[in-house]
Amino acid sequence: MLAKANRITSADDYRVIVRRGAKVAGAHTVSYMRSRESGTDARFGFIVSKKVGGAVRRNLVRRRLKAACYEVLGDGFAGTDIVVRALPSAADADWAALRADVVRAVEKRRARTTSTKQQQGGSHA
């Protein structure tokens, strides 16, 4: 279970992250990521529409996504807001497939952040 400090709760925060964040598409999800101040906790939000299925199926998908994000949180991933939107194919995806989508999105974000820092550091040398 994600702690309150690790959850996005404001509709305004969701809107800003989805509109202005970096987008990473996976097989069953689309993740939107936006950096915040360093030293702050990573925060996660989830969008699971009725296109995914009925309430029971949507909640199952959301719980699986939360579990995957909880695992990523343990890797020391901080200072970023992530909104994960489940695609209709997520209804039939198993936990491992959803977890792989989340991990792939986070790794892509880390790669972008690392390459940006290296480029900035290289220009000042």
Side-chain angles (χ1 to χ4, degrees), residues 58-125:
R58 289 193 314 269
N59 284 325
L60 175 68
V61 169
R62 185 181 49 82
R63 284 192 311 269
R64 287 178 174 174
L65 290 171
K66 276 185 172 183
C69 290
Y70 183 76
E71 282 189 4
V72 169
L73 186 63
D75 292 340
F77 189 64
T80 302
D81 288 341
I82 302 172
V83 173
V84 181
R85 180 187 304 269
L87 299 174
S89 65
D92 299 321
D94 62 354
W95 184 83
L98 293 175
R99 182 184 178 281
D101 271 7
V102 170
V103 169
R104 184 174 155 268
V106 169
E107 286 175 352
K108 273 194 167 189
R109 178 61 179 181
R110 281 186 183 163
R112 284 185 195 160
T113 304
T114 304
S115 67
T116 302
K117 286 180 182 177
Q118 287 176 352
Q119 288 173 356
Q120 289 174 352
S123 64
H124 296 290

Side-chain angles (χ1 to χ4, degrees), residues 2-26 29-37 40-48 62 65-86 98-113:
L2 292 171
K4 183 155 177 82
N6 299 115
R7 287 183 260 160
I8 299 170
T9 56
S10 164
D12 289 336
D13 288 344
Y14 272 95
R15 195 173 303 112
V16 168
I17 296 162
V18 170
R19 289 185 181 165
R20 297 186 184 150
K23 180 176 158 181
V24 179
T29 63
V30 177
S31 300
Y32 304 89
M33 297 177 228
R34 187 167 165 89
S35 295
R36 294 187 309 141
E37 312 84 50
T40 57
D41 291 332
R43 296 188 311 166
F44 297 91
F46 306 94
I47 300 172
V48 185
R62 185 181 49 82
L65 290 171
K66 276 185 172 183
C69 290
Y70 183 76
E71 282 189 4
V72 169
L73 186 63
D75 292 340
F77 189 64
T80 302
D81 288 341
I82 302 172
V83 173
V84 181
R85 180 187 304 269
L98 293 175
R99 182 184 178 281
D101 271 7
V102 170
V103 169
R104 184 174 155 268
V106 169
E107 286 175 352
K108 273 194 167 189
R109 178 61 179 181
R110 281 186 183 163
R112 284 185 195 160
T113 304

